[in-house]
Amino acid sequence: MQVFNVLARLIDYPDNELMENLDSVIEFVEESAEIETDEKKTIMEFISWMRVHTATGMQQTYVETFDMVPEHDLHLTHHIFGDDNGRGPALIDLSEHFKGEGLEVKDGEIPDFLPLILEYVSTLDDMESRVFLGDAKKIIKVIADNLDEAESPYSKLIRIVEKRSYLAEAA
């Protein structure tokens, strides 16, 4: 499910490589049969918004959006545990799950980071990805709601993830 790979890159910190390769992302999105028409429109609008900013401007917006506002944190267990001791075992469990599936979490990365989770989900088939995201749908909705309230352009990308997590219930 490469749509999750695209979303992971767009929701992650906007490095220079991403900013320089937006044309490739656009081409992939336009040609993808797995991305629904409304999702394509949302992704293209987000990329258009990105293009009016410099890489430094995008990086500043990202930091202000996700690093400075705890309610927007992309680390999913933060929304359940905060800084409570219960967060550690949850992170260890998730890390062990990833290792068991062959995904190595890089040093310094926390395994509950939404872009990392989306990278993992992109390796699963459709039903597996929906079920995996279904376990996190309430947290994803909270993040999307908080970003909506802040009128962040990122909210619409998170809504795509949220929508795909809810589809697990209907399947």
Side-chain angles (χ1 to χ4, degrees):
M1 299 293 305
Q2 291 304 309
V3 64
F4 295 118
N5 205 5
V6 170
L7 292 170
R9 290 296 296 134
L10 294 175
I11 295 169
D12 203 350
Y13 185 78
D15 60 19
N16 290 331
E17 181 183 351
L18 172 64
M19 296 300 288
E20 292 167 4
N21 291 295
L22 287 175
D23 288 338
S24 298
V25 176
I26 289 169
E27 184 178 330
F28 176 81
V29 170
E30 287 175 340
E31 294 175 2
S32 175
E34 76 178 51
I35 302 174
E36 297 174 12
T37 303
D38 61 326
E39 293 172 340
K40 285 182 182 186
K41 182 176 185 255
T42 298
I43 292 168
M44 296 305 234
E45 288 172 357
F46 184 82
I47 292 172
S48 292
W49 171 78
M50 288 181 77
R51 285 194 152 174
V52 300
H53 297 85
T54 63
T56 304
M58 281 301 302
Q59 291 163 354
Q60 179 180 350
T61 298
Y62 183 91
V63 169
E64 290 171 353
T65 301
F66 296 112
D67 296 345
M68 306 302 272
V69 182
E71 294 81 13
H72 302 166
D73 195 328
L74 293 176
H75 294 91
L76 302 186
T77 60
H78 167 81
H79 296 278
I80 299 170
F81 299 105
D83 292 327
D84 185 61
N85 290 341
R87 186 174 182 201
L91 293 172
I92 291 169
D93 288 347
L94 186 56
S95 185
E96 291 300 316
H97 174 77
F98 285 163
K99 282 181 188 173
E101 295 294 317
L103 177 69
E104 285 296 320
V105 178
K106 297 174 192 151
D107 286 340
E109 282 189 329
I110 301 175
D112 67 338
F113 186 53
L114 184 57
L116 179 62
I117 288 173
L118 294 175
E119 283 181 36
Y120 167 68
V121 169
S122 75
T123 68
L124 304 176
D125 69 30
D126 186 47
M127 183 51 67
E128 291 171 326
S129 66
R130 292 172 193 274
V131 170
F132 191 87
L133 287 173
D135 289 341
K137 69 180 178 265
K138 289 179 183 175
I139 301 165
I140 294 167
K141 181 182 182 332
V142 166
I143 296 169
D145 289 347
N146 292 339
L147 289 168
D148 273 346
E149 190 174 313
E151 299 179 2
S152 170
Y154 285 96
S155 69
K156 292 181 180 178
L157 297 180
I158 306 292
R159 291 286 181 206
I160 294 172
V161 177
E162 177 191 15
K163 175 185 162 196
R164 285 181 172 257
S165 70
Y166 277 98
L167 292 176
E169 294 177 341

